[in-house]
Amino acid sequence: MSQSDVFSIIFVGGVGVVASFFICQAIMGDPNEATTTFTTLRAPISSDLTVPSSEVFNSAAINPTIEVYVGDCEDKDNNGILDESELIACGRLDASSVITDEDDNGEGGNAEESDEDLEE
């Protein structure tokens, strides 16, 4: 690079900096003369608590975290899950298709069978 090229780059950069300074001054103005306006509150904020509206906060409101079942099924125990007895009551599940853990004696049995049961 020759000496005249370096001089040209410095000159163009300097003119650009000076021009941008004056353009920014014209757009933004003097910071010492800047003013702001504020609006006052219509009513002061009080520390009193009011009772919330019963239309919004009531005990019978819909809870979005609970599953909603459309149709005849009713969640009688309000646990959010339709149990087998509730599904049978509304007709979505047959009583014969329900698998129970009871053995022939009506007692709760284990899934494992002993050797004595296999021989019989």
Side-chain angles (χ1 to χ4, degrees):
M1 238 200 276
S2 66
Q3 188 176 4
S4 63
D5 291 341
V6 173
F7 177 73
S8 298
I9 292 173
I10 292 174
F11 179 74
V12 170
V15 169
V17 168
V18 171
S20 64
F21 173 77
F22 286 114
I23 291 172
C24 289
Q25 253 335 68
I27 292 173
M28 292 192 295
D30 187 17
N32 294 331
E33 295 176 5
T35 60
T36 57
T37 57
F38 297 98
T39 57
T40 59
L41 296 174
R42 284 180 251 156
I45 299 172
S46 67
S47 62
D48 297 335
L49 295 175
T50 59
V51 178
S53 171
S54 62
E55 291 181 11
V56 178
F57 299 100
N58 62 25
S59 61
I62 296 173
N63 186 353
T65 62
I66 302 295
E67 293 183 37
V68 176
Y69 302 99
V70 178
D72 340 354
C73 294
E74 182 180 346
D75 188 19
K76 294 180 182 175
D77 53 2
N78 292 326
N79 64 351
I81 301 170
L82 288 177
D83 300 329
E84 289 177 354
S85 61
E86 295 166 344
L87 288 171
I88 292 170
C90 73
R92 288 198 182 173
L93 188 64
D94 293 332
S96 61
S97 66
V98 176
I99 300 172
T100 59
D101 290 336
E102 296 180 0
D103 59 5
D104 294 336
N105 298 332
E107 300 172 359
N110 293 337
E112 300 177 9
E113 294 182 2
S114 65
D115 291 335
E116 295 172 6
D117 291 338
L118 292 176
E119 292 176 1
E120 293 178 6

